[in-house]
């Protein structure tokens, strides 16, 4: 029985989890609400909060699993991508524990872990599968051939879709994070407002033009009617969400057809969006694909996904030295 303690601190969630032979025993997350006051994550405040939370969260994860540190066989930790100060807290903590316990240290790529969240609980996708990985910092199409064999076949050339949701919401005067608010309001409106969709060849994405389209539309309408946003908020949210989802679905569909893959998954924080989840299921039904959508707990940043990735690296003996450092711009 291989027990992995996992640590995640790449952004503004401090999380610890215990994985036993790939099975999640506990997954604890401490959120940081203070960033809402500033309209986005403040790196210095995030790193300070991680320092306060990491020990109690880790202890709570062990207690929930009914284990002690002496039961742990390896420690997995996010080394990137993410915020430098936030990553530094988690990596330093994990290195210290691994050294003091004389057990292996396993560095984990945050985005690969999002994909492997699909193996936190059944049903599991079969290999190969394509995963649409969508978050505040990333938008990728990844061909997954095995647990640790992944290839990016498409990615954003500028902004991530999560950032596009948040920027659209900011233009509308919504608080941070805007994505969940847009999702709720979209259900009350109609996607009746046309926004620009990029024409990017291949499987890559672009969202900068979309954001500009939203901004210019709002500026024109508000100049004529100062109450335009208030009177059309639900329709604006529905139109923003519908356009972004349509962009994602078109690219996903094309990639699946080109690679002849019928196992389709989504991962990352934006995978919690109800409209996107429904669109993926509808596309799968239409094309007779098997679709996989994680529970909400495994969509947002969490240590369980880090532990699952760490477990499969442990099985292959892919251990790290204590000299590892955080890599904020870590790539596949």
């Amino acid at each position: 029985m291989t027990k992995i303690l996992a640590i995640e601190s790449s952004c503004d969630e401090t999380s610890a989890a215990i994985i036993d032979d790939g099975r999640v025993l506990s997954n604890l997350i401490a959120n940081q609400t203070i960033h809402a006051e500033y309209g986005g994550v403040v790196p210095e405040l995030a790193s300070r909060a991680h320092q306060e939370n990491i020990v109690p969260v880790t202890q709570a994860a062990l207690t929930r699993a009914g284990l002690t540190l002496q039961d742990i066989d390896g420690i997995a930790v996010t080394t990137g991508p993410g915020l430098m100060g936030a990553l530094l807290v988690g990596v330093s903590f994990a290195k210290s524990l691994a050294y003091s316990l004389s057990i292996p240290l396993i560095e984990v790529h945050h985005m690969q872990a999002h994909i492997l969240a699909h193996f936190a609980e059944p049903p599991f996708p079969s290999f190969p599968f394509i995963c649409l990985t969508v978050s505040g910092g990333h938008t990728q199409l990844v061909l997954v051939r095995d647990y640790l064999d992944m290839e990016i076949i498409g990615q954003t050339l500028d902004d991530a879709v999560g950032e596009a949701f948040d920027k659209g919401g900011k233009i509308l005067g919504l608080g941070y994070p805007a994505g969940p608010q847009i999702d709720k309001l979209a259900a009350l409106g109609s996607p009746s407002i046309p926004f620009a969709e990029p024409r990017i060849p291949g499987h890559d994405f672009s969202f900068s033009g979309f954001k500009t389209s939203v901004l210019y539309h709002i500026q024109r309408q508000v100049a004529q009617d100062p109450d335009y946003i208030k009177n059309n908020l639900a329709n604006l949210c529905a139109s923003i969400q519908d356009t972004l989802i349509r962009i994602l679905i078109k690219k996903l569909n094309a990639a699946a057809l080109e690679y002849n893959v019928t196992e389709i998954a989504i991962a990352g924080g934006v995978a919690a969006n109800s409209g996107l989840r429904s669109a993926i299921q509808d596309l799968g039904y239409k094309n007779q694909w098997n679709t996989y959508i994680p529970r909400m707990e495994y969509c947002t940043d969490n240590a369980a996904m880090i532990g699952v990735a760490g477990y499969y690296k442990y099985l292959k003996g892919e251990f790290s030295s204590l000299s590892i450092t955080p890599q904020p711009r870590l790539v596949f």
Side-chain angles (χ1 to χ4, degrees):
M1 303 291 281
T2 302
K3 297 178 177 61
I4 303 293
L5 166 63
I7 303 295
E8 155 61 21
S9 68
S10 63
C11 192
D12 61 335
E13 275 97 8
T14 312
S15 184
I18 306 296
I19 308 298
D20 185 3
D21 276 354
R23 183 170 61 95
V24 180
L25 297 186
S26 63
N27 184 34
L28 278 294
I29 302 172
N31 296 305
Q32 301 176 12
T33 59
I34 190 173
H35 304 289
E37 300 177 21
Y38 300 92
V41 177
V42 181
E44 178 63 23
L45 295 179
S47 59
R48 290 180 184 177
H50 284 308
Q51 293 179 59
E52 296 174 0
N53 294 334
I54 197 161
V55 171
V57 168
T58 299
Q59 186 57 59
L62 287 164
T63 301
R64 180 77 59 85
L67 301 174
T68 68
L69 284 173
Q70 284 64 43
D71 298 312
I72 301 301
D73 299 300
I75 298 179
V77 62
T78 305
T79 52
L83 301 175
M84 182 62 182
L87 289 167
L88 186 61
V89 175
V91 170
S92 299
F93 181 70
K95 287 166 64 173
S96 299
L97 276 182
Y99 177 75
S100 65
L101 297 170
S102 298
I103 58 177
L105 176 67
I106 307 160
E107 55 185 318
V108 172
H109 189 292
H110 182 80
M111 298 311 296
Q112 291 178 341
H114 267 304
I115 295 170
L116 291 178
H118 284 283
F119 298 94
E121 62 183 18
F124 304 137
S126 300
F127 300 112
F129 66 91
I130 289 178
C131 187
L132 172 63
T133 311
V134 281
S135 68
H138 297 82
T139 303
Q140 299 172 334
L141 284 168
V142 182
L143 178 62
V144 186
R145 299 185 182 91
D146 204 346
Y147 298 108
L148 304 178
D149 183 1
M150 305 179 188
E151 176 189 357
I152 296 176
I153 58 176
Q155 59 187 328
T156 182
L157 301 178
D158 41 53
D159 307 311
V161 67
E163 198 270 345
F165 268 109
D166 285 335
K167 183 59 178 292
K170 186 174 183 179
I171 293 171
L172 299 181
L174 301 179
Y176 175 87
Q181 298 177 66
I182 289 177
D183 191 15
K184 291 180 181 178
L185 289 167
L188 306 176
S190 171
S192 55
I193 304 166
F195 292 124
E197 294 185 39
R199 296 183 179 181
I200 306 298
H203 304 309
D204 288 331
F205 301 87
S206 173
F207 296 100
S208 59
F210 163 81
K211 294 193 303 180
T212 301
S213 174
V214 174
L215 177 62
Y216 286 177
H217 174 82
I218 295 299
Q219 288 177 338
R220 287 193 303 268
Q221 298 301 319
V222 169
Q224 300 175 29
D225 176 11
D227 293 325
Y228 174 75
I229 294 177
K230 182 178 68 174
N231 294 334
N232 296 274
L233 184 58
N235 289 343
L236 285 164
C237 288
S239 300
I240 288 173
Q241 179 156 298
D242 181 74
T243 305
L244 290 174
I245 290 173
R246 194 162 57 247
I247 293 169
L248 295 173
I249 290 297
K250 284 181 179 179
K251 293 288 187 175
L252 173 60
N253 185 59
L257 293 175
E258 178 177 329
Y259 285 88
N260 193 30
V261 172
T262 59
E263 299 278 305
I264 304 297
I266 58 173
V270 180
N273 180 277
S274 64
L276 179 58
R277 295 168 82 90
S278 296
I280 293 288
Q281 291 173 329
D282 292 344
L283 184 66
Y285 180 79
K286 175 184 176 182
N287 293 339
Q288 296 185 317
W289 294 340
N290 294 320
T291 56
Y292 302 88
I293 304 174
R295 278 198 294 124
M296 296 293 187
E297 177 184 358
Y298 300 125
C299 289
T300 55
D301 293 348
N302 67 93
M305 68 183 192
I306 305 302
V308 171
Y311 169 70
Y312 288 107
K313 296 189 78 170
Y314 184 97
L315 294 182
K316 287 199 170 185
E318 295 188 10
F319 305 144
S320 308
S321 86
L322 293 174
S323 65
I324 64 169
T325 58
Q327 300 182 60
R329 299 186 182 274
L330 182 63
V331 297
F332 269 36

